[in-house]
Amino acid sequence: MSQRDDMDFEENEENEDIEDYRAKDELVLKTHEDINRDLCGEIEKLDIGYVKLKLVTTHDMIADSKGLIHGGFIFGAADYAAMAAVNEKNVVLVASNCQFLSPVKFGDIVNFTAKVRHKEGRKRNVHVIGNVLDIKVFDGEFKTVVTDRHVLKLRLTEEDDEHEYKSS
């Protein structure tokens, strides 16, 4: 091998190492992988303790003849953003305190930001804000808990061992 070939090989090897490192360093969503993103929004940015999510309102979300979007869809997207900000495989919502500050109409795009504000043991508090353009339409605090096992697999009573549900 010539000296130039050695240098090319070392550069390629170094580049592969960098690519391997970047791939390992990328943040991957660990929770709510099967959620309907048409109804709950698309994650645009995922970082440790932080998420940006975009909800494009659709005809299926309309609550009345004026095009008002049902608040449940706004809450669902905010909840999804909070879960993704925690980004633990088995995270569940245990409480929330939310304000719907302005109506959302068909065709609006709601941009959510979610930030983990407090972490204590298995508990996480996440603050979520939703905006349409520069208008704040949603503000909420989500209290979550990270469990060892899936919430539907937690053994709460002896009877729980007997029932197993399969998705179809």
Side-chain angles (χ1 to χ4, degrees):
M1 213 187 279
S2 72
Q3 189 174 12
R4 179 69 193 145
D5 289 340
D6 284 341
M7 287 175 54
D8 287 344
F9 178 75
E10 286 174 14
E11 284 178 20
N12 287 339
E13 191 173 283
E14 186 176 306
N15 286 340
E16 287 174 15
D17 289 343
I18 289 170
E19 291 306 313
D20 287 346
Y21 177 76
R22 285 185 186 143
K24 289 177 188 170
D25 199 36
E26 281 183 28
L27 207 51
V28 176
L29 185 65
K30 301 177 201 172
T31 189
H32 291 63
E33 308 94 340
D34 296 334
I35 201 160
N36 184 330
R37 288 171 176 79
D38 291 335
L39 298 177
C40 293
E42 283 286 341
I43 293 173
E44 294 190 312
K45 182 175 182 178
L46 176 64
D47 208 342
I48 296 171
Y50 177 83
V51 161
K52 281 181 101 172
L53 180 137
K54 177 171 77 172
L55 176 69
V56 178
T57 58
T58 67
H59 191 270
D60 292 332
M61 301 174 184
I62 293 174
D64 65 17
S65 63
K66 304 288 187 210
L68 178 69
I69 298 300
H70 186 276
F73 294 104
I74 305 305
F75 181 85
D79 175 58
Y80 177 43
M83 299 300 113
V86 172
N87 201 20
E88 294 284 347
K89 183 176 172 120
N90 299 314
V91 58
V92 294
L93 179 66
V94 294
S96 67
N97 183 6
C98 304
Q99 295 179 325
F100 296 85
L101 303 170
S102 186
V104 176
K105 67 182 180 317
F106 173 66
D108 283 347
I109 296 172
V110 187
N111 293 297
F112 291 92
T113 57
K115 294 179 187 175
V116 175
R117 289 217 271 198
H118 183 72
K119 179 179 175 182
E120 180 184 330
R122 296 176 180 273
K123 299 175 187 175
R124 309 284 187 278
N125 288 1
V126 185
H127 185 225
V128 180
I129 294 174
N131 289 295
V132 173
L133 300 173
D134 60 348
I135 300 166
K136 188 192 285 189
V137 298
F138 180 90
D139 193 322
E141 193 74 26
F142 291 77
K143 295 179 188 293
T144 70
V145 171
V146 176
T147 59
D148 288 331
R149 298 170 63 192
H150 190 283
V151 69
L152 297 178
K153 298 256 182 196
L154 293 176
R155 186 174 170 204
L156 302 175
T157 67
E158 295 292 325
E159 288 178 13
D160 290 342
D161 287 340
E162 297 171 18
H163 301 292
E164 182 76 22
Y165 293 97
K166 305 252 189 243
S167 61
S168 49

